[in-house]
Structures are given as C-alpha cells and as structure tokens.
Amino acid sequence: MSSRFWHGFADMHVIKDAEVVFRSAEGVWLEATDGRRFLDTTAALWYCAVGYGRREIADAVAEQLTRIAAYSSFGPYTTEPTVQLAERLASMAPIDDAVVFFGSGGSDAVDTAAKLARRYWDVVGRPEKRIIVSREHGYHGMHAWGTSLAGIPGNKAGYGGEIIDEVVTVGLNDTESLGALFERRAGEIAAFIGEPVVGAGGVYPPEPSYWAEVQRLCREHDVLLIADEVITAFGRTGSMWGSLRYGIEPDMILFAKAVTSGYMPLGGVLVGPRVSEPFWAGSAPGPMFVHGYTYSGHAAACAAANANLDILEREGLVERVASLESDFEARIRRLADAPLVGEIRTVGFTAAVPITADALAGDASLPAKVVAAALRHGIATRVLRGHAIHISPAFTITQDEVDTMVDGLRAAFEEVAGSVG
Ligand SMILES: Cc1ncc(COP(=O)(O)O)c(C=O)c1O
C-alpha cells in the first residue's frame, strides 16, 4: 500500500504498490528512502537544468523567505526579486522591449497567453479573433486551456468534449494545412501556439523550413505567434531560447521549468510590445488585463530563479549543452541497436528513444515495462506519449554519466526483450 498521495499521470491501481519515494539528490543522482540510488535521465520533468543539491539557490530562497516570502502582485504591489527577475528576463529575451507576466508554472503561462491573445484582439477592436491554433503532439500543460490545446488525444479525452472549443489543431510540420486554415479563417484566429521542439509529445525537432514558414503565415494573416518554451527556454536545445535556435520571432514566449531548475515553482509569459502596448501605453484610464494569480511573481520563487540563472551563466551551462550536443547524440545513439528500439530523435540535451511500432502493436505496455526494468538497473526515467523513453538530463551531466545512463537503459531494453521472447 502506498501513501495517500495521488500521483499525476499515473494508474493508481499500479502505483499503489510501486511508489518510489526520494529523500535526497545530488547532481544527477537521486536517493530513495529505501537506500536505492538512481541516475535521473530526465532532470525530473525537464526542469532541473543545474542539477540537484545547489546550496546557493537554497540559500537565496532562505534569505528571501526570512526577508519577505511573498506579497500580492495585484494592483501596485510587488517585491524586489520579482522586478529584478522581470528586468533580467526581458534583457535576455529574444523579443525587444518585452514585459513579463508571472505565474506558478507552465500551465499558468499557457492560460495567461491564451487569454491575453484573446483580450488583445478584444481591445484592438477585433473580438471575433478568438481561435487558438495548436499542433499535433503538442503539450501545453493541464489547465483547461492547455488540455484543449493538447495535440495528444489521450490527454484530452474523457471530459465530455472540448473544454474550450475555440481551438484547432494542425499537423506537426504541416504548414500547408496551416496556410489553408489561415486562408479560410484568419479573421477568427487569435494566435498560433507551438513548442519550438515538441517535447512531452515525443521530442520532435522542427523540419528545417518549418518555423520560417509559420512565421511568414502568421505575419501575412495577422495571427499572433506564441512560442511555448516551457521546455526549451534556458538552454535545453543549446541556445538560451528555442526561438533563437530556430529563428522564431514570437509575440509571446512562455517559460517555466528551468527558470528555477525546479527549486521553486515559477513560470510566466514574456510579452512583446505589440501585445503589451494597448495595456501599457497612453494615459489612464486604459484597458486592463483582468488576470493574475495569488503567487504571480512570488518573491522566494523569483529569488530562486535569479540564483539559478546566475549559475547557468557563471558555469556556461547553455554553452556546455551546445558544445556537447553532438557528443551527447552519439552516446545516446549507441542505443540504436538495442532490442525493441525504433528511430531515436535527439536535439540539444534531450532525446526520445521509441519502442518500434511492431513491438508496441504486440504489447502497448512495453514502454512502462522498460521504465520499471530501468529502475532495477539504477536508472529513473519515464514514458513519452505511450511510445518512447524520455531523456533530458541536467546540463551538468558528465560524459561518463551519460554512458552509465545508456548502459542502464540498454540493460532495461534487453531485460524486457528477453521476457518478450
Ligand atoms: C511545452 C509545455 N508547456 C506547458 C507545460 C505545462 O507546465 P506545468 O506542468 O509547469 O504546468 C509543459 C509541461 O511539461 C510543457 O512541456
């Protein structure tokens, strides 16, 4: 019998006998309460960029908690680390003159951006532009907006239809249908949202001309472009922003995860001048964005982000990902000849190692079996969209540790293949 904790994305019938409880972590290594150690292949949920056990971030948070833990950001109020972080993110962002709206994670950021896109068109006199277009395999969090925008059918089924029905999903790299959709309905479309690299849907880097064409179509049809960089911001692809790597010029950028490396929950939206202008320029009274969360701009979370970004910069971790990208890929591709393994996809410090379609057709639970076997070989990982093993370690992982991860995963694939027969 497990604890009373209801796990996310989990069949509790299975998990109630298989809960893994961690008590500490250092670098890329996790320790469970029963003493077992695991190499963390995924930086938890893609977020722990700087690795575990960073005293410097803990100290910054402790210092902030004792000074002023948090305060309302509604109306005129805010706190020092919040404005410092907003300034810093705006100066780092690949959007000139951006402003920042904070929330507690990626799903908050998605809701904020989706509402702001619609509100923007409302205040500029085009309230009929309400549809948000997303793409196949896209993951945009689990709030109501994100659930509806999902391009992963399993994540949106079972709620009695679309929660928010003004969404349209197009194919992963399909700019032709996107163009045709814009041609027909641009007058009703508020925004296009996409991850620079599809993450939770299975690590799909874009085709070379994809983002340039999306950019062109959005400009031509006056559709806002939202880059969901909850995974790609702060270096996962070897660029500080996925938008930089792929030449995207978004109107809004969503971030979360690696902004604090998960030491505190934080996310937000970098909003470019086109969208912020009606709400900021001119004199009062003016239109408002009536939105905000209790913990928007939480002081201790922002202090964690500031300390985390100091580490990323001081240790050159984004540059490290860029310089080791091909070495990382070569090491991961050693799994290509392991049993059950299909076509591996990698970019930056992330990869998906799929199970072949044939093997999955015979047994859809193979990925879960590989994850369970990996735990027996000292490797903590998880399944991406029912078909692949997820790899996205901390940016600090050593090459030896990458080899340990690959060896452990190979042993897991071999063990499962052996029992399949
Ligand atoms: C691209 C993307 N957007 C949004 C989210 C939602 O973030 P959160 O789980 O912090 O709400 C995620 C989470 O994995 C994500 O990968």
Side-chain angles (χ1 to χ4, degrees):
M1 176 64 190
S2 69
S3 66
R4 292 186 172 275
F5 176 59
W6 192 334
H7 293 235
F9 285 89
D11 180 345
M12 291 311 295
H13 307 91
V14 176
I15 299 305
K16 66 180 192 292
D17 299 316
E19 200 174 38
V20 181
V21 184
F22 297 120
R23 77 169 155 220
S24 66
E26 187 70 37
V28 295
W29 292 95
L30 302 158
E31 189 177 319
T33 45
D34 59 9
R36 287 181 297 165
R37 285 180 85 229
F38 301 97
L39 193 157
D40 175 20
T41 67
T42 59
L45 290 171
W46 322 79
Y47 56 71
C48 194
V50 300
Y52 302 104
R54 295 285 194 162
R55 166 74 43 194
E56 178 179 343
I57 305 178
D59 287 345
V61 172
E63 205 278 331
Q64 188 59 48
L65 287 174
T66 45
R67 188 185 291 268
I68 173 170
Y71 198 75
S72 160
S73 67
F74 293 2
Y77 304 117
T78 186
T79 56
E80 271 184 306
T82 315
V83 289
Q84 281 161 3
L85 180 62
E87 191 63 41
R88 183 173 191 166
L89 292 172
S91 69
M92 291 165 68
I95 302 180
D96 288 338
D97 280 330
V99 294
V100 188
F101 205 108
F102 285 116
S104 299
S107 300
D108 283 2
V110 169
D111 262 37
T112 300
K115 284 177 68 180
L116 183 52
R118 283 172 62 156
R119 182 76 182 114
Y120 166 80
W121 289 113
D122 190 55
V123 302
V124 300
R126 308 275 313 271
E128 68 284 359
K129 277 171 84 72
R130 285 197 299 269
I131 293 172
I132 311 232
V133 181
S134 62
R135 52 185 193 139
E136 180 193 17
H137 302 329
Y139 181 86
H140 300 291
M142 284 290 114
H143 289 353
W145 266 106
T147 301
S148 290
L149 289 166
I152 304 175
N155 287 359
K156 60 198 296 186
Y159 301 102
E162 277 308 353
I163 301 174
I164 288 157
D165 57 10
E166 282 159 314
V167 299
V168 177
T169 302
V170 292
L172 181 63
N173 278 307
D174 184 357
T175 48
E176 214 169 289
S177 319
L178 186 67
L181 173 71
F182 283 5
E183 208 59 65
R184 279 196 324 274
R185 302 186 68 183
E188 304 162 72
I189 296 175
F192 174 86
I193 185 169
E195 300 156 86
V197 172
V198 164
V203 184
Y204 291 94
E207 281 173 5
S209 59
Y210 178 74
W211 278 111
E213 183 59 7
V214 170
Q215 183 82 61
R216 190 190 69 70
L217 289 169
C218 286
R219 288 220 175 103
E220 184 183 323
H221 295 279
D222 209 13
V223 167
L224 298 175
L225 180 50
I226 304 171
D228 184 344
E229 295 229 28
V230 165
I231 286 173
T232 52
F234 311 108
R236 177 61 59 194
T237 70
S239 257
M240 188 57 85
W241 308 90
S243 293
L244 274 185
R245 174 155 179 170
Y246 298 108
I248 313 170
E249 292 173 15
D251 296 291
M252 292 186 249
I253 293 181
L254 318 188
F255 62 89
K257 297 191 187 280
V259 69
T260 62
S261 286
Y263 281 76
M264 292 288 275
L266 180 73
V269 184
L270 279 150
V271 184
R274 173 174 184 184
V275 175
S276 67
E277 204 258 358
F279 304 95
W280 285 59
S283 51
M288 273 172 60
F289 182 37
V290 182
H291 181 76
Y293 302 106
T294 294
Y295 298 127
S296 284
H298 188 283
C302 291
N306 282 319
N308 171 65
L309 295 176
D310 286 347
I311 294 173
L312 268 187
E313 284 170 17
R314 193 178 63 237
E315 297 185 4
L317 293 179
V318 181
E319 296 76 10
R320 182 170 195 274
V321 173
S323 68
L324 287 176
E325 176 174 19
S326 44
D327 177 90
F328 180 82
E329 173 170 1
R331 286 170 205 266
I332 301 296
R333 287 199 186 280
R334 283 177 33 223
L335 283 168
D337 63 358
L340 303 174
V341 170
E343 196 57 46
I344 295 171
R345 301 180 290 271
T346 81
V347 61
F349 261 26
T350 187
V353 183
I355 313 275
T356 60
D358 279 356
L360 274 179
D363 181 357
S365 70
L366 283 176
K369 287 178 177 160
V370 172
V371 168
L375 280 174
R376 289 192 286 278
H377 291 279
I379 305 292
T381 185
R382 67 181 196 121
V383 178
L384 288 178
R385 198 171 48 77
H387 78 297
I389 300 304
H390 173 182
I391 294 177
S392 64
F395 301 168
T396 53
I397 192 169
T398 65
Q399 284 145 304
D400 282 352
E401 286 167 335
V402 174
D403 287 342
T404 303
M405 168 171 85
V406 167
D407 292 346
L409 288 173
R410 170 181 287 278
F413 278 108
E414 284 170 355
E415 186 183 313
V416 172
S419 63
V420 170

